[in-house]
Amino acid sequence: METLTLRKLRNAAGAALRDAMSSSDVEQFCTGIGLAPPNPEKDDVAYNSKQKYVARRLAGKDLPELLRIASQVLDECSGGETADELARLVAQAEGSGVAGEMKNLIFAADGPKPKVVLRDAINNDLDLVANEQYCLVYDRPWRSEALTLRRLGDWWADRERLADVSEIDVWRNLLDRLARSLDNAAERRIFNVYARRYLRLGGDIPVLLPQVYLSYDPYPQARYGSGAAPLARQRMDFLLLFPQRVRVVIECDGVQHYADDPATPGERPYASPRRYAEMVAEDRALRLRGYEVYRFGGHELTEGEEAERLLEGFFDALAARHDQPGSPA
């Protein structure tokens, strides 16, 4: 399925109105639903391009507002290919992202697994009763909006009592703590390349969260002996939380993801079809739940400048895919 972006939705609404109305009717419709023209002196007519005119007037609208306006547009259309395309995009948007509200975010794990209890099983309220010093728990409510560096920084400033510290210094302090949880040089390269985006784009882009608990099993693997544990994957290398419940998982794969340890110390690991199959099965399950999963082979990230160009291009493309700041012009 192609990715839905706000730009596509704006253009589709413009195309549907273009085919359904005259230029003057398009202008009256936009004014009637409260859309202000971008430039009242130069851009208040739809004569040259009705589609572009509508798309410009929809600039800056978030997804919920665009969906509300799209519904009004469809009420004015009497069918046709462009109206059908708009209806398809609306249906896709209403089913996008991961279902359900986010309740627990345990991340930046840099030590032993925390011990968790359900304080209120009905409300799914968790408490960490041991090893809580080795991870962070974001405990503020949020629904379908992005978790940005600025939002996380506000939480961090309150948590660490940094009220008299500048926002930039709060962010540096927070990023230093997040970096402590990184496992290897490849993960640090991913984290550092993304951190440069904060300098260029500011704090209103999704924050890159390392070592996030996706699942949680209170028992160690040894408890299951030779049998498979019920949860094959508990922590993600990185997570980005975009608007509208879009959750992006980024994994950096070392040899342990596709090979078993050798029977004799000093020998090379050998490829394991079983281990690889388990990994891709977990990826399929995540995607079916609505997550986006992107994997980097550790070998891709060993060359300095080439690896950084690769990552910069990836993050630009990801921003474009989700209509976020930082996408290429």
Side-chain angles (χ1 to χ4, degrees):
M1 178 183 293
E2 65 175 321
T3 301
L4 174 69
T5 66
L6 301 185
R7 186 179 298 112
K8 288 180 182 178
L9 200 54
R10 291 194 297 265
N11 288 336
L17 285 177
R18 176 198 65 202
D19 293 349
M21 299 180 179
S22 65
S23 296
S24 60
D25 287 340
V26 168
E27 294 169 15
Q28 291 177 10
F29 174 82
C30 290
T31 302
I33 64 173
L35 296 179
N39 187 329
E41 295 181 358
K42 299 180 180 179
D43 200 17
D44 198 23
V45 294
Y47 178 77
N48 291 327
S49 172
K50 291 182 281 186
Q51 180 180 13
K52 291 181 179 178
Y53 170 83
V54 173
R56 287 194 298 270
R57 293 185 77 155
L58 291 174
K61 305 295 183 185
D62 60 15
L63 183 58
E65 192 169 10
L66 279 178
L67 293 176
R68 178 183 60 79
I69 293 170
S71 179
Q72 294 175 293
V73 170
L74 291 171
D75 287 343
E76 298 295 324
C77 299
S78 56
E81 290 184 6
T82 52
D84 289 345
E85 173 64 9
L86 177 60
R88 185 187 68 79
L89 291 177
V90 169
Q92 181 181 342
E94 290 175 342
S96 65
V98 179
E101 296 182 16
M102 294 173 281
K103 300 181 182 72
N104 306 298
L105 184 58
I106 305 173
F107 62 104
D110 66 347
K113 182 191 294 187
K115 294 184 178 180
V116 176
V117 297
L118 279 171
R119 182 65 61 190
D120 186 332
I122 296 174
N123 289 335
N124 196 29
D125 293 336
L126 302 184
D127 272 355
L128 277 62
V129 295
N131 297 332
E132 67 274 13
Q133 69 270 34
Y134 298 113
C135 64
L136 301 178
V137 182
Y138 185 75
D139 54 4
R140 291 184 176 177
W142 86 108
R143 296 177 65 85
S144 62
E145 63 269 32
L147 183 59
T148 63
L149 177 62
R150 175 162 284 115
R151 181 185 293 271
L152 193 65
D154 290 344
W155 164 81
W156 182 250
D158 289 345
R159 182 187 187 274
E160 298 297 302
R161 297 179 175 85
L162 301 175
D164 298 328
V165 177
S166 71
E167 186 175 54
I168 294 297
D169 285 336
V170 169
W171 292 353
R172 288 196 184 103
N173 187 275
L174 169 61
L175 293 175
D176 285 345
R177 170 60 186 88
L178 297 182
R180 275 173 32 200
S181 70
L182 303 174
D183 280 343
N184 52 58
E187 288 184 7
R188 284 190 286 274
R189 177 155 280 149
I190 293 173
F191 187 81
N192 291 338
V193 167
Y194 196 86
R196 291 201 293 268
R197 299 177 72 82
Y198 305 133
L199 297 175
R200 179 162 59 91
L201 302 169
D204 291 321
I205 63 173
V207 63
L208 184 66
L209 301 168
Q211 297 302 324
V212 182
Y213 277 96
L214 168 69
S215 305
Y216 185 86
D217 185 347
Y219 302 112
Q221 174 68 42
R223 176 188 177 94
Y224 302 104
S226 60
L231 297 175
R233 175 190 299 166
Q234 294 191 50
R235 282 194 340 213
M236 299 172 284
D237 290 341
F238 296 101
L239 177 69
L240 288 159
L241 297 171
F242 284 90
Q244 303 306 315
R245 308 188 309 275
V246 172
R247 304 179 195 175
V248 174
V249 175
I250 299 173
E251 294 283 355
C252 181
D253 295 345
V255 67
Q256 75 275 11
H257 289 83
Y258 53 83
D260 286 331
D261 293 332
T264 303
E267 292 184 354
R268 294 172 61 88
Y270 56 92
S272 170
R274 174 194 56 80
R275 189 180 291 269
Y276 177 76
E278 290 172 352
M279 181 180 70
V280 296
E282 285 295 309
D283 282 357
R284 287 197 303 271
L286 269 183
R287 292 190 182 103
L288 289 172
R289 288 163 56 188
Y291 285 82
E292 294 181 24
V293 183
Y294 300 96
R295 289 190 172 274
F296 288 92
H299 183 73
E300 291 182 282
L301 305 181
T302 56
E303 298 296 332
E305 292 184 2
E306 183 177 345
E308 293 192 0
R309 284 194 297 270
L310 169 71
L311 289 167
E312 287 166 358
F314 166 75
F315 285 124
D316 283 345
L318 188 65
R321 174 178 173 86
H322 295 293
D323 208 24
Q324 292 288 301
S327 58

